[in-house]
Amino acid sequence: MTGLRYVYAVCHPFSAPLQAQLKGVAGDPPRLLTHHGLIAVVSHVPERDFAEEPLRRRLEDLDWLTETARAHQSVIDALTVVTTPLPLRLATVFRDDSGVRVMLEAREDDFRRTLDRLQGRVEWGVKVYVETGPETGETPAPKPASGRDYLRQRRARVRSHEDLWQRTEEFANRLHATLSAYAENSRLHAPQNPALSGVAGRNVLNAAYLVPRDHSEEFVELVDRTKDETTMDSPGIRVELTGPWAAYSFAGEEA
């Protein structure tokens, strides 16, 4: 198959095979390109979509971008099962194999340092949300009998919500401190905007943790144990754990 070269990640050499039916961006199976003891995971993509000008237009097409990002991530996920990949940013494209090799050579020292630092480690994501309203078990207030009664109920709701938000922030800080002490490294990301993420509730904590792959089970148990100690008495607090992922947040490479 002819076309441009799409690069997903850089890795140290590994022996375990990728999934036989794995498809990458534009449906082409990924392959391994070796240069100076580093592996670039690449596939072919058509110029009509990935040459400079059409790619600029395509990146403004939300449906196309979502499909491309999903295919890109599926390759990264498959690599994470068998090795420690250093993911490159979405739509990293070169003219041919020679262009990929030139990139590997130019950044060889940085790639090796980062891969050595991340070897055998994965990223776990933890988010804490606070929710208010009937879905949290909040008892509906009776219909106000007067304007004064309405104002009193409104002040009570505001105080209740403020108390819940404060408890959530305190819990999120404790959880982050506990998980950071266990993990080798951590990153705090900006809270997600619910209008953009489509996830219910206000995002109070959005963090990533770098954990040795062999310690992942203990990390998950720590999240569950800490979560259960608080959320049983605070139904408005929700904890979301995701992973294990390739270490995007610790790679020094924009995803």
Side-chain angles (χ1 to χ4, degrees):
M1 179 179 179
T2 60
L4 304 177
R5 304 303 188 269
Y6 186 107
V7 187
Y8 302 90
V10 176
C11 315
H12 284 313
F14 59 95
S15 57
L18 291 174
Q19 302 165 14
Q21 303 304 315
L22 180 63
K23 300 291 185 182
V25 172
D28 190 50
R31 63 186 179 86
L32 308 183
L33 189 157
T34 303
H35 185 72
H36 287 185
L38 290 174
I39 301 256
V41 182
V42 306
S43 64
H44 296 83
V45 290
E47 291 192 40
R48 68 176 181 273
D49 291 328
F50 288 89
E52 185 175 355
E53 284 302 321
L55 179 59
R56 186 177 294 112
R57 294 191 298 271
R58 279 297 203 176
L59 290 175
E60 297 176 356
D61 181 340
L62 185 57
D63 290 339
W64 183 91
L65 185 60
T66 300
E67 181 181 351
T68 301
R70 186 178 294 117
H72 176 102
Q73 187 60 45
S74 70
V75 174
I76 300 299
D77 290 345
L79 287 168
T80 304
V81 173
V82 298
T83 188
T84 301
L86 174 53
L88 301 190
R89 69 182 66 180
L90 187 72
T92 296
V93 180
F94 295 89
R95 170 60 57 186
D96 51 26
D97 285 357
S98 295
V100 179
R101 294 181 191 279
V102 168
M103 180 272 295
L104 287 173
E105 191 154 342
R107 302 177 60 184
E108 181 176 352
D109 290 342
D110 288 340
F111 283 148
R112 290 187 186 282
R113 279 194 297 269
T114 304
L115 285 168
D116 288 345
R117 176 168 54 84
L118 298 179
Q119 187 66 30
R121 293 158 178 82
V122 292
E123 176 176 327
W124 288 90
V126 176
K127 295 182 178 69
V128 175
Y129 297 90
V130 58
E131 296 178 341
T132 57
E135 67 276 8
T136 66
E138 202 174 86
T139 303
K143 185 176 180 179
S146 64
R148 178 178 296 180
D149 199 25
Y150 168 79
L151 291 175
R152 179 184 59 77
Q153 289 183 11
R154 180 174 174 80
R155 285 195 296 268
R157 283 198 301 271
V158 169
R159 284 195 299 270
S160 175
H161 292 172
E162 288 177 345
D163 289 345
L164 178 57
W165 289 340
Q166 182 177 349
R167 291 199 307 274
T168 305
E169 289 176 347
E170 291 172 351
F171 164 71
N173 289 336
R174 291 196 308 272
L175 179 62
H176 179 59
T178 298
L179 299 181
S180 296
Y182 184 88
E184 290 190 353
N185 206 343
S186 63
R187 292 283 187 275
L188 283 173
H189 300 303
Q192 289 183 326
N193 183 334
L196 299 177
S197 68
V199 178
R202 173 185 170 189
N203 184 205
V204 178
L205 176 69
N206 181 12
Y209 303 91
L210 185 67
V211 178
R213 187 189 299 272
D214 294 343
H215 296 172
S216 286
E217 185 174 347
E218 292 87 344
F219 181 83
V220 172
E221 290 175 353
L222 180 59
V223 174
D224 288 342
R225 185 166 63 250
T226 308
K227 174 182 65 176
D228 292 343
E229 291 171 356
T230 296
T231 56
M232 287 181 63
D233 298 323
S234 299
I237 299 175
R238 187 175 85 254
V239 179
E240 179 183 288
L241 172 69
T242 61
W245 308 109
Y248 281 102
S249 299
F250 307 92
E253 177 73 29
E254 291 182 24

